Amino acid sequence: MATPSRSLAFLLPNLFTAASVFAGVYSMIAATQGRFGFAAWMILLSLIFDGLDGRVARLTNTCSRFGVEFDSLADIIAFGAAPAMLIYLYAGHEYGRFGVLVSALFVIFGAIRLARFNVMTVQSEPSVFIGVPIPTAATFAAVLVLLFTKYGGHATYGWIILVGALVTALLMVSNIRYPSFKKIDMHAMHVKRVLVGLLVTASLIFLYPIEGVALFFTLYILYGPLRATWFFYQRYTLLRRYRRRHKK
């Protein structure tokens, strides 16, 4: 029989998941009211809650199948439906069917990404992600809206948001690998590098919150395709050398 403290421990991570859903729904309501900046910040708040629920579950040793399923359903709302609605109401409606298509694909590919993650993930956390995680894609879309809200120009260059959302949607269902920060190598030789990187990132975000977050997620999203391109280039180079040697 579970003790009251143990029951509370199981409840705590699910409360963070519920908070993530609440922020996502609040984002959609704000977007319908034309408060696009606030809606984007709500998606970023969902990201924080989403990061806390899993970590709290692991710290309290309360990981459960229910929590995994609840988290996936929460993600499709907070990081699928909420950013898709924000994208469409902010810029997509000005581009007719293309705007509808991008918003719909963002949700569909996000759902596929979550389903694939749940099928492929076992008890241990993955060291890499296959495809862009849906919270990253949603945050990138939200930050784009924040940038346009701050500097203006979405009436003329709103297509940039749609293209960015479409590219990240495609990357979600790709086989491109991305690093998982859940398993960072913290050996002595890497501690200084990680610390310096965190300090530089935190300083940039402190000075320029929107621009700093936008730069961080843009670099993270570009890392996958650039890494894959470099890998294929090296493989092509080795293959050419191998063929030249055998021709001789």
Side-chain angles (χ1 to χ4, degrees), residues 226-246:
L226 291 176
R227 178 181 177 275
T229 302
W230 175 249
F231 172 78
F232 283 115
Y233 172 76
Q234 286 185 317
R235 187 176 180 181
Y236 174 73
T237 303
L238 291 174
L239 183 60
R240 287 187 60 183
R241 292 177 181 174
Y242 176 81
R243 288 177 176 176
R244 286 177 182 177
R245 290 177 182 176
H246 281 73

PDB file of all heavy atoms in Angstrom, residues 226-246:
ATOM      1  N   LEU A 226      23.839  20.032 -40.686  1.00  0.00           N
ATOM      2  CA  LEU A 226      25.252  20.290 -40.935  1.00  0.00           C
ATOM      3  C   LEU A 226      26.099  19.075 -40.559  1.00  0.00           C
ATOM      4  O   LEU A 226      27.038  18.708 -41.287  1.00  0.00           O
ATOM      5  CB  LEU A 226      25.710  21.519 -40.147  1.00  0.00           C
ATOM      6  CG  LEU A 226      25.133  22.866 -40.611  1.00  0.00           C
ATOM      7  CD1 LEU A 226      25.591  23.981 -39.692  1.00  0.00           C
ATOM      8  CD2 LEU A 226      25.547  23.156 -42.052  1.00  0.00           C
ATOM      9  N   ARG A 227      25.764  18.443 -39.443  1.00  0.00           N
ATOM     10  CA  ARG A 227      26.490  17.245 -39.015  1.00  0.00           C
ATOM     11  C   ARG A 227      26.288  16.121 -40.021  1.00  0.00           C
ATOM     12  O   ARG A 227      27.236  15.398 -40.365  1.00  0.00           O
ATOM     13  CB  ARG A 227      26.004  16.811 -37.631  1.00  0.00           C
ATOM     14  CG  ARG A 227      26.664  15.543 -37.110  1.00  0.00           C
ATOM     15  CD  ARG A 227      26.109  15.180 -35.743  1.00  0.00           C
ATOM     16  NE  ARG A 227      26.671  13.933 -35.245  1.00  0.00           N
ATOM     17  CZ  ARG A 227      26.198  12.731 -35.548  1.00  0.00           C
ATOM     18  NH1 ARG A 227      25.150  12.624 -36.356  1.00  0.00           N
ATOM     19  NH2 ARG A 227      26.771  11.651 -35.056  1.00  0.00           N
ATOM     20  N   ALA A 228      25.046  15.947 -40.505  1.00  0.00           N
ATOM     21  CA  ALA A 228      24.764  14.906 -41.486  1.00  0.00           C
ATOM     22  C   ALA A 228      25.496  15.169 -42.801  1.00  0.00           C
ATOM     23  O   ALA A 228      26.033  14.241 -43.426  1.00  0.00           O
ATOM     24  CB  ALA A 228      23.258  14.814 -41.730  1.00  0.00           C
ATOM     25  N   THR A 229      25.536  16.447 -43.215  1.00  0.00           N
ATOM     26  CA  THR A 229      26.248  16.800 -44.449  1.00  0.00           C
ATOM     27  C   THR A 229      27.729  16.504 -44.314  1.00  0.00           C
ATOM     28  O   THR A 229      28.355  15.956 -45.245  1.00  0.00           O
ATOM     29  CB  THR A 229      26.037  18.291 -44.769  1.00  0.00           C
ATOM     30  OG1 THR A 229      24.636  18.560 -44.898  1.00  0.00           O
ATOM     31  CG2 THR A 229      26.746  18.669 -46.061  1.00  0.00           C
ATOM     32  N   TRP A 230      28.319  16.867 -43.179  1.00  0.00           N
ATOM     33  CA  TRP A 230      29.737  16.587 -42.945  1.00  0.00           C
ATOM     34  C   TRP A 230      30.013  15.093 -42.925  1.00  0.00           C
ATOM     35  O   TRP A 230      31.030  14.618 -43.459  1.00  0.00           O
ATOM     36  CB  TRP A 230      30.187  17.233 -41.644  1.00  0.00           C
ATOM     37  CG  TRP A 230      31.606  16.920 -41.248  1.00  0.00           C
ATOM     38  CD1 TRP A 230      32.034  16.168 -40.202  1.00  0.00           C
ATOM     39  CD2 TRP A 230      32.791  17.368 -41.927  1.00  0.00           C
ATOM     40  NE1 TRP A 230      33.408  16.107 -40.165  1.00  0.00           N
ATOM     41  CE2 TRP A 230      33.896  16.837 -41.218  1.00  0.00           C
ATOM     42  CE3 TRP A 230      33.018  18.153 -43.051  1.00  0.00           C
ATOM     43  CZ2 TRP A 230      35.205  17.064 -41.600  1.00  0.00           C
ATOM     44  CZ3 TRP A 230      34.333  18.388 -43.442  1.00  0.00           C
ATOM     45  CH2 TRP A 230      35.399  17.852 -42.715  1.00  0.00           C
ATOM     46  N   PHE A 231      29.122  14.314 -42.335  1.00  0.00           N
ATOM     47  CA  PHE A 231      29.282  12.861 -42.269  1.00  0.00           C
ATOM     48  C   PHE A 231      29.274  12.255 -43.672  1.00  0.00           C
ATOM     49  O   PHE A 231      30.122  11.418 -44.011  1.00  0.00           O
ATOM     50  CB  PHE A 231      28.168  12.253 -41.419  1.00  0.00           C
ATOM     51  CG  PHE A 231      28.139  10.750 -41.435  1.00  0.00           C
ATOM     52  CD1 PHE A 231      29.032  10.014 -40.675  1.00  0.00           C
ATOM     53  CD2 PHE A 231      27.217  10.073 -42.225  1.00  0.00           C
ATOM     54  CE1 PHE A 231      29.014   8.631 -40.687  1.00  0.00           C
ATOM     55  CE2 PHE A 231      27.183   8.688 -42.252  1.00  0.00           C
ATOM     56  CZ  PHE A 231      28.084   7.967 -41.478  1.00  0.00           C
ATOM     57  N   PHE A 232      28.293  12.685 -44.502  1.00  0.00           N
ATOM     58  CA  PHE A 232      28.208  12.148 -45.860  1.00  0.00           C
ATOM     59  C   PHE A 232      29.384  12.600 -46.709  1.00  0.00           C
ATOM     60  O   PHE A 232      29.857  11.859 -47.587  1.00  0.00           O
ATOM     61  CB  PHE A 232      26.888  12.561 -46.511  1.00  0.00           C
ATOM     62  CG  PHE A 232      25.715  11.767 -46.039  1.00  0.00           C
ATOM     63  CD1 PHE A 232      24.690  12.371 -45.327  1.00  0.00           C
ATOM     64  CD2 PHE A 232      25.629  10.401 -46.282  1.00  0.00           C
ATOM     65  CE1 PHE A 232      23.619  11.640 -44.879  1.00  0.00           C
ATOM     66  CE2 PHE A 232      24.549   9.658 -45.829  1.00  0.00           C
ATOM     67  CZ  PHE A 232      23.538  10.276 -45.135  1.00  0.00           C
ATOM     68  N   TYR A 233      29.887  13.812 -46.463  1.00  0.00           N
ATOM     69  CA  TYR A 233      31.063  14.293 -47.196  1.00  0.00           C
ATOM     70  C   TYR A 233      32.282  13.441 -46.863  1.00  0.00           C
ATOM     71  O   TYR A 233      33.046  13.049 -47.763  1.00  0.00           O
ATOM     72  CB  TYR A 233      31.323  15.759 -46.854  1.00  0.00           C
ATOM     73  CG  TYR A 233      32.627  16.278 -47.413  1.00  0.00           C
ATOM     74  CD1 TYR A 233      32.756  16.584 -48.767  1.00  0.00           C
ATOM     75  CD2 TYR A 233      33.746  16.462 -46.587  1.00  0.00           C
ATOM     76  CE1 TYR A 233      33.961  17.051 -49.292  1.00  0.00           C
ATOM     77  CE2 TYR A 233      34.933  16.929 -47.101  1.00  0.00           C
ATOM     78  CZ  TYR A 233      35.036  17.217 -48.448  1.00  0.00           C
ATOM     79  OH  TYR A 233      36.233  17.675 -48.961  1.00  0.00           O
ATOM     80  N   GLN A 234      32.484  13.159 -45.586  1.00  0.00           N
ATOM     81  CA  GLN A 234      33.606  12.311 -45.195  1.00  0.00           C
ATOM     82  C   GLN A 234      33.463  10.909 -45.775  1.00  0.00           C
ATOM     83  O   GLN A 234      34.443  10.306 -46.240  1.00  0.00           O
ATOM     84  CB  GLN A 234      33.688  12.232 -43.665  1.00  0.00           C
ATOM     85  CG  GLN A 234      34.212  13.505 -43.008  1.00  0.00           C
ATOM     86  CD  GLN A 234      34.377  13.334 -41.513  1.00  0.00           C
ATOM     87  OE1 GLN A 234      33.522  12.769 -40.850  1.00  0.00           O
ATOM     88  NE2 GLN A 234      35.486  13.811 -40.973  1.00  0.00           N
ATOM     89  N   ARG A 235      32.256  10.396 -45.753  1.00  0.00           N
ATOM     90  CA  ARG A 235      32.020   9.059 -46.305  1.00  0.00           C
ATOM     91  C   ARG A 235      32.278   9.036 -47.808  1.00  0.00           C
ATOM     92  O   ARG A 235      32.874   8.075 -48.327  1.00  0.00           O
ATOM     93  CB  ARG A 235      30.571   8.641 -46.012  1.00  0.00           C
ATOM     94  CG  ARG A 235      30.249   7.210 -46.391  1.00  0.00           C
ATOM     95  CD  ARG A 235      28.838   6.862 -45.971  1.00  0.00           C
ATOM     96  NE  ARG A 235      28.511   5.498 -46.322  1.00  0.00           N
ATOM     97  CZ  ARG A 235      27.337   4.934 -46.100  1.00  0.00           C
ATOM     98  NH1 ARG A 235      26.368   5.631 -45.510  1.00  0.00           N
ATOM     99  NH2 ARG A 235      27.112   3.682 -46.453  1.00  0.00           N
ATOM    100  N   TYR A 236      31.863  10.081 -48.513  1.00  0.00           N
ATOM    101  CA  TYR A 236      32.087  10.180 -49.946  1.00  0.00           C
ATOM    102  C   TYR A 236      33.579  10.276 -50.255  1.00  0.00           C
ATOM    103  O   TYR A 236      34.071   9.644 -51.194  1.00  0.00           O
ATOM    104  CB  TYR A 236      31.346  11.401 -50.495  1.00  0.00           C
ATOM    105  CG  TYR A 236      31.620  11.701 -51.948  1.00  0.00           C
ATOM    106  CD1 TYR A 236      31.082  10.905 -52.953  1.00  0.00           C
ATOM    107  CD2 TYR A 236      32.417  12.787 -52.303  1.00  0.00           C
ATOM    108  CE1 TYR A 236      31.335  11.175 -54.287  1.00  0.00           C
ATOM    109  CE2 TYR A 236      32.681  13.065 -53.632  1.00  0.00           C
ATOM    110  CZ  TYR A 236      32.142  12.255 -54.619  1.00  0.00           C
ATOM    111  OH  TYR A 236      32.398  12.527 -55.942  1.00  0.00           O
ATOM    112  N   THR A 237      34.297  11.063 -49.434  1.00  0.00           N
ATOM    113  CA  THR A 237      35.739  11.202 -49.630  1.00  0.00           C
ATOM    114  C   THR A 237      36.465   9.880 -49.432  1.00  0.00           C
ATOM    115  O   THR A 237      37.343   9.501 -50.223  1.00  0.00           O
ATOM    116  CB  THR A 237      36.298  12.256 -48.659  1.00  0.00           C
ATOM    117  OG1 THR A 237      35.616  13.494 -48.862  1.00  0.00           O
ATOM    118  CG2 THR A 237      37.790  12.457 -48.902  1.00  0.00           C
ATOM    119  N   LEU A 238      36.104   9.151 -48.385  1.00  0.00           N
ATOM    120  CA  LEU A 238      36.719   7.848 -48.126  1.00  0.00           C
ATOM    121  C   LEU A 238      36.392   6.856 -49.235  1.00  0.00           C
ATOM    122  O   LEU A 238      37.245   6.046 -49.628  1.00  0.00           O
ATOM    123  CB  LEU A 238      36.238   7.306 -46.776  1.00  0.00           C
ATOM    124  CG  LEU A 238      36.737   8.053 -45.539  1.00  0.00           C
ATOM    125  CD1 LEU A 238      36.065   7.499 -44.277  1.00  0.00           C
ATOM    126  CD2 LEU A 238      38.251   7.936 -45.416  1.00  0.00           C
ATOM    127  N   LEU A 239      35.173   6.922 -49.747  1.00  0.00           N
ATOM    128  CA  LEU A 239      34.777   6.021 -50.818  1.00  0.00           C
ATOM    129  C   LEU A 239      35.568   6.302 -52.086  1.00  0.00           C
ATOM    130  O   LEU A 239      35.994   5.369 -52.789  1.00  0.00           O
ATOM    131  CB  LEU A 239      33.273   6.153 -51.083  1.00  0.00           C
ATOM    132  CG  LEU A 239      32.670   5.213 -52.135  1.00  0.00           C
ATOM    133  CD1 LEU A 239      32.874   3.766 -51.708  1.00  0.00           C
ATOM    134  CD2 LEU A 239      31.191   5.513 -52.333  1.00  0.00           C
ATOM    135  N   ARG A 240      35.810   7.571 -52.396  1.00  0.00           N
ATOM    136  CA  ARG A 240      36.602   7.929 -53.575  1.00  0.00           C
ATOM    137  C   ARG A 240      38.037   7.455 -53.435  1.00  0.00           C
ATOM    138  O   ARG A 240      38.636   6.939 -54.395  1.00  0.00           O
ATOM    139  CB  ARG A 240      36.567   9.448 -53.773  1.00  0.00           C
ATOM    140  CG  ARG A 240      35.237   9.973 -54.295  1.00  0.00           C
ATOM    141  CD  ARG A 240      35.337  11.445 -54.637  1.00  0.00           C
ATOM    142  NE  ARG A 240      36.341  11.697 -55.664  1.00  0.00           N
ATOM    143  CZ  ARG A 240      36.668  12.909 -56.113  1.00  0.00           C
ATOM    144  NH1 ARG A 240      36.087  13.974 -55.572  1.00  0.00           N
ATOM    145  NH2 ARG A 240      37.564  13.070 -57.056  1.00  0.00           N
ATOM    146  N   ARG A 241      38.610   7.621 -52.258  1.00  0.00           N
ATOM    147  CA  ARG A 241      39.973   7.144 -52.032  1.00  0.00           C
ATOM    148  C   ARG A 241      40.056   5.633 -52.185  1.00  0.00           C
ATOM    149  O   ARG A 241      41.023   5.102 -52.757  1.00  0.00           O
ATOM    150  CB  ARG A 241      40.441   7.554 -50.638  1.00  0.00           C
ATOM    151  CG  ARG A 241      40.648   9.050 -50.468  1.00  0.00           C
ATOM    152  CD  ARG A 241      41.035   9.375 -49.034  1.00  0.00           C
ATOM    153  NE  ARG A 241      41.210  10.817 -48.841  1.00  0.00           N
ATOM    154  CZ  ARG A 241      41.442  11.383 -47.661  1.00  0.00           C
ATOM    155  NH1 ARG A 241      41.528  10.603 -46.555  1.00  0.00           N
ATOM    156  NH2 ARG A 241      41.583  12.690 -47.558  1.00  0.00           N
ATOM    157  N   TYR A 242      39.053   4.942 -51.668  1.00  0.00           N
ATOM    158  CA  TYR A 242      39.030   3.477 -51.756  1.00  0.00           C
ATOM    159  C   TYR A 242      38.975   3.026 -53.210  1.00  0.00           C
ATOM    160  O   TYR A 242      39.678   2.087 -53.616  1.00  0.00           O
ATOM    161  CB  TYR A 242      37.827   2.955 -50.973  1.00  0.00           C
ATOM    162  CG  TYR A 242      37.637   1.468 -51.070  1.00  0.00           C
ATOM    163  CD1 TYR A 242      38.387   0.592 -50.278  1.00  0.00           C
ATOM    164  CD2 TYR A 242      36.688   0.931 -51.956  1.00  0.00           C
ATOM    165  CE1 TYR A 242      38.220  -0.775 -50.361  1.00  0.00           C
ATOM    166  CE2 TYR A 242      36.510  -0.442 -52.044  1.00  0.00           C
ATOM    167  CZ  TYR A 242      37.283  -1.275 -51.251  1.00  0.00           C
ATOM    168  OH  TYR A 242      37.104  -2.640 -51.347  1.00  0.00           O
ATOM    169  N   ARG A 243      38.155   3.692 -54.033  1.00  0.00           N
ATOM    170  CA  ARG A 243      38.026   3.325 -55.441  1.00  0.00           C
ATOM    171  C   ARG A 243      39.306   3.632 -56.205  1.00  0.00           C
ATOM    172  O   ARG A 243      39.717   2.859 -57.085  1.00  0.00           O
ATOM    173  CB  ARG A 243      36.847   4.078 -56.068  1.00  0.00           C
ATOM    174  CG  ARG A 243      35.483   3.574 -55.591  1.00  0.00           C
ATOM    175  CD  ARG A 243      34.368   4.401 -56.177  1.00  0.00           C
ATOM    176  NE  ARG A 243      33.053   3.860 -55.783  1.00  0.00           N
ATOM    177  CZ  ARG A 243      31.909   4.452 -56.104  1.00  0.00           C
ATOM    178  NH1 ARG A 243      31.902   5.593 -56.815  1.00  0.00           N
ATOM    179  NH2 ARG A 243      30.772   3.905 -55.711  1.00  0.00           N
ATOM    180  N   ARG A 244      39.970   4.740 -55.883  1.00  0.00           N
ATOM    181  CA  ARG A 244      41.213   5.084 -56.574  1.00  0.00           C
ATOM    182  C   ARG A 244      42.299   4.059 -56.286  1.00  0.00           C
ATOM    183  O   ARG A 244      43.069   3.671 -57.172  1.00  0.00           O
ATOM    184  CB  ARG A 244      41.680   6.464 -56.131  1.00  0.00           C
ATOM    185  CG  ARG A 244      40.866   7.609 -56.705  1.00  0.00           C
ATOM    186  CD  ARG A 244      41.347   8.950 -56.174  1.00  0.00           C
ATOM    187  NE  ARG A 244      40.546  10.049 -56.686  1.00  0.00           N
ATOM    188  CZ  ARG A 244      40.735  11.328 -56.331  1.00  0.00           C
ATOM    189  NH1 ARG A 244      41.676  11.628 -55.433  1.00  0.00           N
ATOM    190  NH2 ARG A 244      39.990  12.280 -56.850  1.00  0.00           N
ATOM    191  N   ARG A 245      42.377   3.626 -55.040  1.00  0.00           N
ATOM    192  CA  ARG A 245      43.392   2.633 -54.673  1.00  0.00           C
ATOM    193  C   ARG A 245      43.164   1.318 -55.406  1.00  0.00           C
ATOM    194  O   ARG A 245      44.123   0.668 -55.845  1.00  0.00           O
ATOM    195  CB  ARG A 245      43.386   2.405 -53.166  1.00  0.00           C
ATOM    196  CG  ARG A 245      43.919   3.576 -52.358  1.00  0.00           C
ATOM    197  CD  ARG A 245      43.811   3.317 -50.866  1.00  0.00           C
ATOM    198  NE  ARG A 245      44.274   4.453 -50.095  1.00  0.00           N
ATOM    199  CZ  ARG A 245      44.213   4.533 -48.770  1.00  0.00           C
ATOM    200  NH1 ARG A 245      43.703   3.510 -48.066  1.00  0.00           N
ATOM    201  NH2 ARG A 245      44.667   5.590 -48.141  1.00  0.00           N
ATOM    202  N   HIS A 246      41.922   0.906 -55.540  1.00  0.00           N
ATOM    203  CA  HIS A 246      41.640  -0.372 -56.184  1.00  0.00           C
ATOM    204  C   HIS A 246      41.756  -0.293 -57.700  1.00  0.00           C
ATOM    205  O   HIS A 246      41.974  -1.319 -58.350  1.00  0.00           O
ATOM    206  CB  HIS A 246      40.242  -0.857 -55.779  1.00  0.00           C
ATOM    207  CG  HIS A 246      40.218  -1.468 -54.423  1.00  0.00           C
ATOM    208  ND1 HIS A 246      40.330  -0.739 -53.264  1.00  0.00           N
ATOM    209  CD2 HIS A 246      40.096  -2.795 -54.025  1.00  0.00           C
ATOM    210  CE1 HIS A 246      40.284  -1.557 -52.217  1.00  0.00           C
ATOM    211  NE2 HIS A 246      40.133  -2.796 -52.653  1.00  0.00           N
TER     212      HIS A 246
END
